[in-house]
Amino acid sequence: MELRDYLRVLRARWRLILLCTLLAVGAAAAATYATTPVYQAEAQLFVSTTQVESANAGSLQQGGQFAQQRVRSYADIVDSPLVLEDVVDELGLSISARQLAERIEASAPLDTVLINVTASDPDAALAQAIANATAARFSEVAAELETPEGSTASPVMVTVVRPADLPEAPASPRPTLNLALGLLVGLAVGVGAALLRDALDTSVKTVATVQEELGLSPLGIIGYDADAQRRPLIVHAEPGSTRAEAFRQLRTNLRFIDVDRPPRSIVVTSAGPAEGKSTTTVNLAIALSQAGERVLLVEGDLRRPRIAQYLGLEGAIGLTDVLVGRALRGVAVPVVAVAVGVRTLGRHHRQDGAVDVRVDALQRLERPAGRVLRRLAGPDDEHRPAGLPGQHRAVGDGEQRRRVDEDEGGLVLE
């Protein structure tokens, strides 16, 4: 896919992308709102040595290295029960030292003699108190641990250099960060879903796709009209509209698709029901009639007939009656006044709404049907937009039509 293909997918699937984005942002907002705010307070400790016999550079360097070695171990002792049990008793907490340890974090920045003690709690004041109490108690514990046996002084001194302040804002959740992450995640998921859906979509939506995949040029492009059911005869009702002009363009392309042998039988069909076969057929017939052609319009849709309704005709007698021999050509083919030269042939319904001839029964009527359609068309009918459900087959003119009639029964199918 090229860049323009990605842009096309984004334009076509923008609703899906927007939906995923809104859902992700909504989920982030809901999670932020449902999360209990937690405050963090931090106290800082400084580790130093006290037994320095001479204040020269070498002794100071040795003391610094000794303190750094101790700091890495001290950070693991800060949240130990040895320190926190006294903190629980001092503050009168209702939790155990192990539970308090889950709220305390100690870290030692690299190549320093500093220890940062961070306490977290939903109560800002309590978080401050826990951090300060833990830092003070650890200073005492470190001195006790480093005092040699038989001595009263410790070679290491831990000092609180920065007491914890009262936190003004919660450390979590972070609404701005959460909403930004939700927006990014939603956009990523939406774009991915749009690309996946486009890759799995096998429908044809553009003329370029038809030309690229099939190597064929479309004869016409009829725009979608939501009012097609209410205004089916657009060529007659609004001849100056864009949709009517599209049918006239289709008519012209059909007439000049083969200048030497222009088509005489035109079959209009579609891949599924309710895709515009009837409106396309009747408007094409009117457009051909307006160009001076004599047209026989055969209503071959045995499931959902609409042409008789669109043209305001009585549908009691139609194609089914002709196929079974219950109606003659003069009775079954009325002339429509909406466009001079257009004649229609529909199907017959019984009073109970059932169809006289089933679709599977047409297979047994192929040869009689071919002769009937040939007699119905007559020498004066130049074009026959026609259709029946089933296989696809177009019937030509003259010698070709007779050959089809003799070989395959001449049944025009939709």
Side-chain angles (χ1 to χ4, degrees), residues 213-227:
E213 299 295 335
L214 302 180
L216 302 174
S217 297
L219 295 175
I221 302 176
I222 310 299
Y224 173 76
D225 185 6
D227 296 333

Side-chain angles (χ1 to χ4, degrees), residues 41-56:
E42 182 179 273
Q44 192 171 69
L45 304 174
F46 179 80
V47 180
S48 61
T49 58
T50 59
Q51 292 181 348
V52 180
E53 297 179 355
S54 60
N56 55 43

Side-chain angles (χ1 to χ4, degrees), residues 40-48 71 74 78 104-110 112-119 127-128 130-139 157-165:
Q40 286 185 345
E42 182 179 273
Q44 192 171 69
L45 304 174
F46 179 80
V47 180
S48 61
V71 162
Y74 288 166
V78 170
I104 295 177
E105 180 181 356
S107 61
L110 186 64
T112 67
V113 291
L114 300 175
I115 299 176
N116 296 323
V117 179
T118 304
Q128 180 190 24
I130 292 174
N132 288 329
T134 302
R137 177 54 186 161
F138 177 74
S139 300
M157 182 174 62
V158 179
T159 308
V160 179
V161 294
R162 184 181 297 172
D165 297 326

Side-chain angles (χ1 to χ4, degrees), residues 327-344:
L328 300 178
R329 176 176 181 268
V331 177
V333 187
V335 178
V336 182
V338 70
V340 178
V342 176
R343 293 182 291 171
T344 63

